[in-house]
Amino acid sequence: VLALSGKIREVGAKIFASNGKEVDFASALESCEEAGGTLATPMNEEENKAILGIVKQYNRYAYLGIKEGETSGQFKYINGTLLNYTKWHRYEPNGKGKEKCVEMYTDGSWNDKKCSLYRLTICEF
């Protein structure tokens, strides 16, 4: 269960929250699903800013609910739909199939990264 202690951001119908833990992508996704949500997935600038607020609070990069699909360089939401909003860092994504997960930097931009690294868990509900 997420110990919330003020680590919540509300945007529209979504609530973003973090437990402050840094784990690999699969563990982050699992803990969000166990809590009844999924990994934070920004669908627009407002949601991206809300997630960034939590990233800045912890000063840690965080995984987003986005993964590379079967086609190298084509990223999708974890529910399988194509991205309709992106905020890639300059020259990203550049993993060419080797970096299948997406992290948010502390400036709100995105980078493709290996899924085995430990990043902050931020869930959406």
Side-chain angles (χ1 to χ4, degrees):
V1 179
L2 297 173
L4 299 170
S5 63
K7 313 294 194 246
I8 299 177
R9 298 281 188 284
E10 209 170 333
V11 180
K14 284 188 181 179
I15 294 171
F16 299 105
S18 178
N19 58 9
K21 293 199 169 90
E22 291 184 64
V23 294
D24 63 30
F25 182 86
S27 302
L29 179 57
E30 187 182 356
S31 61
C32 288
E33 288 176 345
E34 280 175 2
T38 189
L39 266 176
T41 308
M43 301 288 211
N44 54 48
E45 186 65 24
E46 195 184 5
E47 292 180 4
N48 204 72
K49 282 187 177 140
I51 297 164
L52 174 60
I54 297 173
V55 165
K56 283 185 164 171
Q57 198 168 5
Y58 286 99
N59 196 28
R60 297 276 180 271
Y61 295 174
Y63 278 126
L64 297 176
I66 299 168
K67 283 193 88 170
E68 192 169 29
E70 299 304 306
T71 310
S72 180
Q74 186 187 65
F75 286 81
K76 298 179 176 181
Y77 296 117
I78 40 181
N79 67 9
T81 58
L82 291 171
L83 300 182
N84 60 0
Y85 164 83
T86 61
K87 194 162 179 104
W88 293 110
H89 195 74
R90 195 167 168 199
Y91 308 124
E92 299 294 345
N94 64 7
K96 300 177 183 65
K98 290 184 172 55
E99 299 178 329
K100 295 203 169 286
C101 288
V102 178
E103 65 183 358
M104 180 184 282
Y105 286 153
T106 49
D107 67 358
S109 65
W110 305 354
N111 172 44
D112 54 335
K113 207 70 183 167
K114 287 191 165 77
C115 302
S116 58
L117 298 170
Y118 279 40
R119 292 292 179 262
L120 182 64
T121 303
I122 301 177
C123 305
E124 75 174 43
F125 302 94

